[in-house]
Amino acid sequence: MQSVSDFLQLRSILNPGPFQITVRVSGLVGSGLTLSLNSGLSSLTVNTDGDYSFPSQLLTGQSFTVTITNQPVLPTQTCSVSGGSGVIGFGNINSIIVNCDPLRYTLGGTISGLDGATGLTLTNAFDGSTLPVAVASGTFAFTQTYVSGSTYNVTVTTQPNHPVQNCIVTNGSGTFASANITNITINCTSTAFPIEITAIGIGSGILRLSNNGSETIDITTNGLHRFPTNLPPSSTYKIQIVSSPPEHQCVLSSSAGIVAGTVSIQANCFSILTYKPRNGGVLLPNESIRLVFSAEVNTGSCSGSTGTLSNTTLALPVNFTLATTNLANDTLLATPAPTDTWQAGHRNLTLNCVTNVGSHPLSTNITLSYLIPSNIRYVSDVGGLDGNDGLTTATPKRNIQAAIDSFGGCPTGDCAVLVAQGSYDPAAIADRILLASGISLFGSYEPGFSDWKPEDKDSTILMDTVPASCAAATASNPCASIVADATITTPVVISGFTILSGDTAPHMAGVFINSTNNVRLIDNVIKAGKGMDGSAGVNAINSSPVILLNQIDGGSCTMSACTAAGLLFSSSSLIAPFIVGNRVDGGSPPLTLSNASSVGLRYSGSVGINVTNIRQNIFTAKNLNVVEAVSTTKSFAFEIGTTSNSSTGILANNQFNHGQAHRSYGIYIQSATSLQIGSATEGNLITGAADSISESIGIRITTFPLTIRRNTINLGSTLRNAGLNTTAGIYFDNSGGGNSIIENNRIIGGSATEVANSASSILHGIYAPTLGASSSISGNLIRLGSSTGGTSSLVAGITTSNSGAALIANNWIQNGTSNGNARGINLSSIFSPLRIFHNTVSSGSNTPGNDAAIYITGFSNSMLIENNILLMNADAVGNACIFNVNGSSGAIRYNVFYNCANFVSQGVSNYTELCTGGVPGGTGCLVPLPMGTVANFGNNLNLNPNLVTNFGIVSNYIPTAATSCLITKSPNVLLSDSFNGMGTRPGGDGAVSIGAIEYDLPCTP
């Protein structure tokens, strides 16, 4: 990390100008000297020596040329310009001199490649003069002059930064011989590069970004910004949005990759800050839509927006006009023509608006969805009477059900009930609010219906008294404040409410949806209440609702083995709910209850669920009873149950938080499925709580193959007084991982502790037994914590057993510590040519010894172990880089062994030397004899790989210039991919780098 002062300096200098062009005039006796910048852009008339700045200023990247248009007279002199042309870098130009003295000479030359935002400082040792240079490429000159016979010695005293550069001076020393010195050359090359962020559309507030989960920057203005720390080539970077400015939706043009030069990323925050009416709500027939953007908007672009909302009653063009709210022209008004109205129905409009400067699109696709009602009823708890007709704001009804019933049906599907702020009993007329097809409910209108403010959610549907009928409530027919059934055949929107169910019934729900795909819950607070046997914020059976921007809580349950779920789904056919942008909390059973469950989302249907449209949600399962002697509690953020076959889709861009419990899982899949957890471009964030009892697992899969990509798993921990406990990032049950793909995940931290030291504490990064031949565990970053317990305790980066010829490749494994066993890659009962290629693996460390970067047991044979960097944390007796307890290997080739006295321990033999051809052998290459032929066991190296950090709390496995070229330029080409990404092997030199990282920069011969 760079210093705080350096960061402040970066913030102050990182701008593209404009910058001043300053010239020093020396030796002037006459008058009338005239200088020109860029052929007359601006000029200076000079009559005496000194420093002069041109009135015109230039930006970074613009060229400058200073010339003499009139030589001085009285007396006549001939002046010349040195350092007068080039390209502006980051800073004022102060390296130009005009010399008019025929007996003195200038010192300068040419520069190329200067990209550093801090510029460059040169020093002439002859007189100690210094020169700041901000010319990206072109000419420069010191602003002193020298007599013939003077010596000079020009060196770099301050190298550029942002990016970090190394500037080399050629022809830097010599003696003046009655002529200007112009042949000094300075060539600057970058040794570390910045991560540049160009921010767009920030109207107010702070955009906070992080790189690699650690360094952060706060961005408050549009334009160019950089992370303080530059990264060396081949470093990985992962930019994440920690928080966006209020009401902004920010999107990065790219987020992760390998540094090969300056990394330029666009952060587009151009957003709609406020909608009036609120998106997803009700729009009256002649009401204007008012949208406030985060930047000046181009109204002409908005007129190209498309959708059914543009269908007005008379088909006249919609008027788009601009206004000012926070910034000039940041507000768009869309209004029907004076004689026209919006056409009734559920309408939408996909916006095509761009910024007025730069023509940048909205950061996310925005579709306005409104109900333009053909018929309205008003409801108010102040002045409302069910005897009123509800047709006007002056004659509202009192209860929501009365208003719904008064329509007598809505065959056009576009009716609306508008509800003022206040409290409403769902059981006032029947025992619940029963929705009707095509009749939507909109809450949180101001008194007198003067304005709709759904963000207030102050229309509260509160079950004050639980109806007597709820005593018979079941999981398939719960007691609920709002109910929708199969009669809902046209869309029904519920928006702007706080929905609170009561206490107590056997099964309680906030909203119950049964056999309809037409319910849209938008921007509500929904809480289940308290059920004895179970509770759910939303309980949906055989339904695919739209659930958008809600806060949902699973309430509480009170009986043995009960479940409190935020969202509870079941179905006998494939469903595809739209669940986006919600905060979903599992319920909170009493901490005294020893066997309850808290679940964010549970699906338990007999057929599957399509998860593709479950995005941008935060699912949180709550902390539960962890009294070890009695607890069997379960805290699952997301669960698909045992009979839910045929689930499909890609589950991505969600956060899953799993709480403290006997068993705690972020994502739990228990059924045959083709779904993927994470995609090729984006995954999920999974975070575990501390101190569960038996298990804390980020992703748990029972028996079935799955694709798991690009997830970040922050491991929780287990803590048990006595008994087996397991913490893991990704865990497949012993019945098998099948042909699974586990790629590009990031698994960090975790611990497993058993206080009595009598039973095993297990910490796995990835546990995936019985992998099929088409399986791949590749490109994962695993950095583990500790396991402490009985003698069989284990910490292991990747564990597999009974697997076929799968691929374990390009993994970055920094194993943790244990008082039992530490194994970077842990293998058992492998009888197929399992391919272990191009991993960089540390053994981890433990108290008694028995560490290995690769540990093999179960009479395994046939494994191919090639092109790996194997690091032994502690070179102690009983440790080995490769430890094969009772089997053999098919190949051990082109590996790098470091800090291990035993390169390979196999059976009772220890191979402590590399014999002819790099084949592991025993003492003197005689006892035991070398392991085999060079073809199968040769070309191994015993070298310090000189990675950025071989060992440490946070290791960095990127090679450096000190890394041997034998490591970075291997001829053993096995794969086309690396930890860097797809298609990155071999490098430009046709060779490959041993280990996870492909490195093509200078190395040590």
Side-chain angles (χ1 to χ4, degrees):
M1 293 290 290
Q2 295 176 347
S3 68
V4 173
S5 61
D6 186 44
F7 176 61
L8 295 174
Q9 178 194 37
L10 171 62
R11 291 186 62 185
S12 67
I13 64 174
L14 191 59
N15 66 80
F19 298 113
Q20 287 185 331
I21 312 299
T22 299
V23 177
R24 174 164 292 183
V25 176
S26 178
L28 179 62
V29 179
S31 60
L33 171 66
T34 306
L35 306 177
S36 173
L37 173 64
N38 288 359
S39 301
L41 175 65
S42 62
S43 61
L44 294 169
T45 298
V46 180
N47 295 309
T48 187
D49 286 352
D51 294 334
Y52 299 91
S53 298
F54 286 96
S56 299
Q57 297 182 332
L58 300 177
L59 300 172
T60 295
Q62 290 186 305
S63 297
F64 67 92
T65 301
V66 174
T67 57
I68 297 174
T69 52
N70 292 301
Q71 293 285 1
V73 296
L74 299 175
T76 298
Q77 290 182 280
T78 300
C79 305
S80 61
V81 180
S82 297
S85 63
V87 176
I88 305 288
F90 288 92
N92 297 320
I93 302 300
N94 295 296
S95 54
I96 305 172
I97 185 169
V98 175
N99 179 29
C100 302
D101 188 337
L103 298 179
R104 299 184 72 85
Y105 304 97
T106 60
L107 176 64
T110 59
I111 185 170
S112 62
L114 177 59
D115 293 329
T118 59
L120 165 74
T121 302
L122 304 176
T123 297
N124 180 11
F126 171 74
D127 60 358
S129 59
T130 61
L131 179 69
V133 180
V135 180
S137 63
T139 62
F140 70 92
F142 281 81
T143 54
Q144 292 77 28
T145 59
Y146 301 89
V147 298
S148 183
S150 299
T151 61
Y152 61 91
N153 184 10
V154 175
T155 58
V156 175
T157 48
T158 303
Q159 294 282 6
N161 204 349
H162 313 301
V164 176
Q165 293 195 284
N166 182 33
C167 297
I168 297 175
V169 179
T170 305
N171 302 323
S173 61
T175 303
F176 284 89
S178 301
N180 294 333
I181 300 300
T182 61
N183 67 338
I184 299 174
T185 60
I186 299 175
N187 182 39
C188 300
T189 57
S190 297
T191 59
F193 297 95
I195 308 294
E196 292 186 346
I197 308 295
T198 300
I200 296 164
I202 297 178
S204 61
I206 298 172
L207 168 64
R208 177 165 295 168
L209 304 177
S210 69
N211 182 26
N212 291 330
S214 55
E215 186 174 61
T216 61
I217 57 170
D218 289 346
I219 297 174
T220 59
T221 60
N222 297 313
L224 184 65
H225 304 265
R226 285 176 173 164
F227 280 88
T229 301
N230 296 277
L231 300 181
S234 297
S235 299
T236 60
Y237 65 90
K238 184 174 183 180
I239 309 303
Q240 292 179 300
I241 296 174
V242 178
S243 59
S244 296
E247 309 303 330
H248 291 64
Q249 294 79 45
C250 298
V251 174
L252 303 176
S253 59
S254 63
S255 60
I258 302 297
V259 175
T262 296
V263 177
S264 297
I265 296 172
Q266 183 185 90
N268 185 359
C269 297
F270 181 44
S271 309
I272 300 176
L273 303 180
T274 61
Y275 303 77
K276 190 174 181 182
R278 187 74 173 265
N279 196 14
V282 62
L283 176 65
L284 300 180
N286 57 359
E287 187 176 6
S288 293
I289 302 171
R290 181 185 177 91
L291 307 176
V292 179
F293 292 81
S294 63
E296 182 178 354
V297 67
N298 184 307
T299 183
S301 64
C302 296
S303 62
S305 302
T306 58
T308 57
L309 186 59
S310 59
N311 299 335
T312 61
T313 305
L314 300 179
L316 298 176
V318 175
N319 294 326
F320 291 92
T321 57
L322 291 179
T324 294
T325 300
N326 303 311
L327 307 167
N329 296 326
D330 65 345
T331 302
L332 176 71
L333 297 172
T335 311
T339 59
D340 206 354
T341 59
W342 303 111
Q343 194 175 82
H346 290 273
R347 305 296 176 189
N348 61 75
L349 188 71
T350 300
L351 293 177
N352 190 35
C353 301
V354 300
T355 60
N356 199 41
V357 177
S359 296
H360 299 290
L362 286 162
S363 60
T364 56
N365 293 326
I366 300 294
T367 297
L368 303 179
S369 297
Y370 289 111
L371 169 63
I372 295 93
S374 63
N375 205 343
I376 295 175
R377 296 293 186 273
Y378 296 91
V379 175
S380 176
D381 78 341
V382 177
L385 297 171
D386 288 342
N388 291 339
D389 58 18
L391 295 175
T392 69
T393 58
T395 58
K397 290 187 175 292
R398 174 62 183 87
N399 290 294
I400 295 172
Q401 190 66 58
I404 293 172
D405 294 343
S406 70
F407 284 99
C410 184
T412 57
D414 52 17
C415 301
V417 176
L418 310 187
V419 183
Q421 59 183 229
S423 182
Y424 301 88
D425 186 352
I429 292 180
D431 55 2
R432 59 187 71 182
I433 294 174
L434 182 62
L435 300 178
S437 189
I439 302 175
S440 296
L441 311 180
F442 298 96
S444 297
Y445 273 86
E446 294 293 283
F449 300 89
S450 60
D451 196 7
W452 184 44
K453 293 186 175 180
E455 63 275 15
D456 293 346
K457 299 175 186 61
D458 54 8
S459 292
T460 301
I461 296 174
L462 173 62
M463 187 182 288
D464 291 312
T465 303
V466 176
S469 61
C470 285
T474 64
S476 59
N477 187 24
C479 180
S481 291
I482 296 177
V483 174
D485 58 23
T487 63
I488 307 298
T489 57
T490 56
V492 171
V493 176
I494 303 170
S495 182
F497 291 93
T498 293
I499 302 168
L500 306 174
S501 286
D503 303 332
T504 302
H507 288 270
M508 189 69 75
V511 177
F512 176 49
I513 304 169
N514 189 4
S515 303
T516 177
N517 297 330
N518 291 294
V519 173
R520 301 175 180 177
L521 300 173
I522 302 174
D523 198 15
N524 304 280
V525 171
I526 304 171
K527 189 170 183 179
K530 184 183 293 183
M532 292 178 288
D533 297 320
S535 60
V538 177
N539 184 335
I541 298 176
N542 297 321
S543 302
S544 295
V546 171
I547 302 176
L548 178 66
L549 301 177
N550 301 278
Q551 300 175 50
I552 301 172
D553 188 286
S556 181
C557 62
T558 58
M559 299 295 288
S560 175
C562 70
T563 297
L567 296 175
L568 183 63
F569 286 87
S570 63
S571 183
S572 57
S573 60
L574 183 70
I575 62 169
F578 185 92
I579 305 172
V580 175
N582 304 278
R583 184 179 183 94
V584 181
D585 291 347
S588 300
L591 292 178
T592 55
L593 200 59
S594 64
N595 58 350
S597 297
S598 175
V599 181
L601 183 152
R602 170 178 285 176
Y603 179 73
S604 58
S606 58
V607 185
I609 180 174
N610 188 323
V611 299
T612 297
N613 288 322
I614 301 177
R615 302 176 64 81
Q616 300 175 22
N617 304 284
I618 301 174
F619 295 97
T620 301
K622 296 299 185 66
N623 293 339
L624 299 173
N625 181 299
V626 287
V627 177
E628 184 173 335
V630 298
S631 175
T632 58
T633 54
K634 303 169 188 175
S635 180
F636 302 157
F638 186 94
E639 179 187 11
I640 294 181
T642 55
T643 62
S644 305
N645 296 322
S646 306
S647 290
T648 187
I650 298 175
L651 182 66
N653 196 16
N654 298 282
Q655 294 184 35
F656 300 97
N657 306 311
H658 50 112
Q660 186 184 65
H662 181 79
R663 289 196 292 154
S664 176
Y665 306 150
I667 298 175
Y668 187 26
I669 308 296
Q670 305 175 66
S671 59
T673 176
S674 62
L675 69 80
Q676 300 180 36
I677 302 175
S679 71
T681 57
E682 62 179 348
N684 302 281
L685 175 61
I686 303 167
T687 301
D691 297 344
S692 289
I693 299 175
S694 175
E695 295 177 350
S696 178
I697 298 174
I699 299 173
R700 180 161 188 176
I701 311 298
T702 61
T703 75
F704 299 99
L706 212 65
T707 296
I708 304 173
R709 287 192 176 112
R710 294 199 178 277
N711 301 284
T712 295
I713 303 174
N714 297 316
L715 294 174
S717 65
T718 50
L719 175 63
R720 193 165 195 171
N721 289 317
L724 175 68
N725 62 101
T726 301
T727 297
I730 298 171
Y731 191 99
F732 285 80
D733 280 6
N734 285 322
S735 48
N739 287 318
S740 292
I741 306 297
I742 307 171
E743 295 178 344
N744 305 122
N745 299 285
R746 183 182 178 94
I747 301 170
I748 304 296
S751 67
T753 304
E754 194 253 1
V755 177
N757 288 342
S758 61
S760 297
S761 293
I762 309 297
L763 175 59
H764 287 296
I766 297 172
Y767 179 82
T770 59
L771 293 170
S774 299
S775 293
S776 171
I777 303 178
S778 299
N780 301 285
L781 188 154
I782 302 171
R783 184 184 300 124
L784 297 181
S786 63
S787 70
T788 305
T791 57
S792 296
S793 295
L794 170 69
V795 58
I798 295 174
T799 296
T800 189
S801 59
N802 299 294
S803 291
L807 178 66
I808 299 177
N810 298 323
N811 297 289
W812 174 317
I813 303 173
Q814 182 185 340
N815 200 23
T817 62
S818 175
N819 69 341
N821 305 280
R823 299 161 184 175
I825 296 176
N826 186 37
L827 308 174
S828 177
S829 302
I830 306 296
F831 308 110
S832 298
L834 179 73
R835 295 162 293 159
I836 305 172
F837 295 164
H838 278 292
N839 302 282
T840 302
V841 188
S842 72
S843 63
S845 60
N846 67 74
T847 302
N850 199 23
D851 303 349
I854 300 177
Y855 187 89
I856 308 164
T857 189
F859 300 95
S860 300
N861 57 49
S862 304
M863 287 106 25
L864 307 178
I865 303 174
E866 304 185 39
N867 289 22
N868 303 283
I869 296 177
L870 306 177
L871 306 169
M872 179 61 60
N873 289 69
D875 186 14
V877 174
N879 295 340
C881 272
I882 299 176
F883 199 127
N884 195 330
V885 175
N886 47 24
S888 60
S889 298
I892 299 176
R893 307 192 310 146
Y894 289 96
N895 301 287
V896 175
F897 300 110
Y898 179 59
N899 200 38
C900 44
N902 287 338
F903 302 132
V904 181
S905 180
Q906 187 162 289
V908 297
S909 300
N910 291 323
Y911 297 88
T912 58
E913 297 187 22
L914 292 182
C915 305
T916 302
V919 177
T923 303
C925 293
L926 294 174
V927 184
L929 293 171
M931 295 188 71
T933 65
V934 172
N936 290 331
F937 294 93
N939 296 291
N940 297 289
L941 301 169
N942 178 22
L943 289 174
N944 182 346
N946 284 305
L947 308 174
V948 173
T949 313
N950 291 337
F951 304 108
I953 296 174
V954 177
S955 298
N956 187 332
Y957 292 159
I958 298 170
T960 66
T963 303
S964 170
C965 296
L966 295 174
I967 296 174
T968 63
K969 297 183 183 297
S970 170
N972 191 33
V973 179
L974 300 172
L975 303 171
S976 60
D977 302 333
S978 74
F979 187 86
N980 308 37
M982 297 179 63
T984 51
R985 296 193 200 269
D989 53 8
V992 297
S993 300
I994 296 173
I997 298 292
E998 183 62 29
Y999 177 86
D1000 293 337
L1001 292 169
C1003 53
T1004 298

